[in-house]
Amino acid sequence: MNDCLFCKIIDGEIPSKKVYEDEHIYVFEDIAPKAPVHVLVVPRKHIRSLKEASSEDKELLAHIQLTIPKIAQQLGLDAGFRTVLNTEKGGGQEVFHIHYHILGGGPMPFA
Ligand code: AMP
Ligand code: ZN
């Protein structure tokens, strides 16, 4: 989708601090971190939100969830981490390309 911030980040049109990538996902540091470690896990496929995901995205969503602990380990979050998925405006979503937040590295709760 042309006008999507996260599609532009994935395409390299807008700079980001990459922490991980594979065939299906791109992971980068949040620009306004709410914890000592705060990264965003974004599928390369543009899906507006969890509400718009369909059964054909089943394997992709499973891949994201099962890869998150590996990313957290890479980031040194041995004590654990929080995963957040905001859905649509009422759920606090601001960028309408589905993404999981990984937060950790300090005392809870995060701001
Ligand atoms: P959400 O409210 O769940 O849609 O989260 C959007 C997140 O994207 C927020 O935590 C923002 O700080 C983050 N964000 C916005 N623009 C950028 C950017 N250019 N690079 C990295 N993170 C961003
Ligand atoms: Zn997008």
Side-chain angles (χ1 to χ4, degrees), residues 55-101:
S55 57
E56 75 179 32
D57 301 314
K58 207 186 294 183
E59 284 188 21
L60 175 60
L61 294 176
H63 174 72
I64 293 171
Q65 294 226 40
L66 293 171
T67 307
I68 283 173
K70 296 173 188 164
I71 298 163
Q73 187 180 30
Q74 179 191 313
L75 293 169
L77 300 176
D78 299 330
F81 53 89
R82 173 169 282 190
T83 310
V84 174
L85 170 56
N86 297 324
T87 301
E88 299 292 337
K89 287 199 177 75
Q93 187 175 3
E94 291 176 357
V95 178
F96 293 95
H97 179 138
I98 192 170
H99 55 280
Y100 287 74
H101 299 247

Side-chain angles (χ1 to χ4, degrees), residues 5-6 9 14-17 28-34 38 40 84-87 91-97 99 101:
L5 174 65
F6 287 174
I9 286 177
I14 292 176
S16 65
K17 292 186 180 168
F28 54 99
E29 292 180 8
D30 195 293
I31 204 167
K34 293 173 183 66
H38 184 177
L40 302 174
V84 174
L85 170 56
N86 297 324
T87 301
Q93 187 175 3
E94 291 176 357
V95 178
F96 293 95
H97 179 138
H99 55 280
H101 299 247

Side-chain angles (χ1 to χ4, degrees), residues 13-51:
E13 280 178 52
I14 292 176
S16 65
K17 292 186 180 168
K18 181 179 83 175
V19 300
Y20 175 87
E21 70 177 323
D22 66 24
E23 191 185 346
H24 301 292
I25 63 179
Y26 185 78
V27 184
F28 54 99
E29 292 180 8
D30 195 293
I31 204 167
K34 293 173 183 66
V37 175
H38 184 177
V39 304
L40 302 174
V41 183
V42 182
R44 295 186 187 278
K45 178 181 178 184
H46 180 91
I47 302 168
R48 175 187 159 90
S49 75
L50 185 60
K51 207 176 158 196

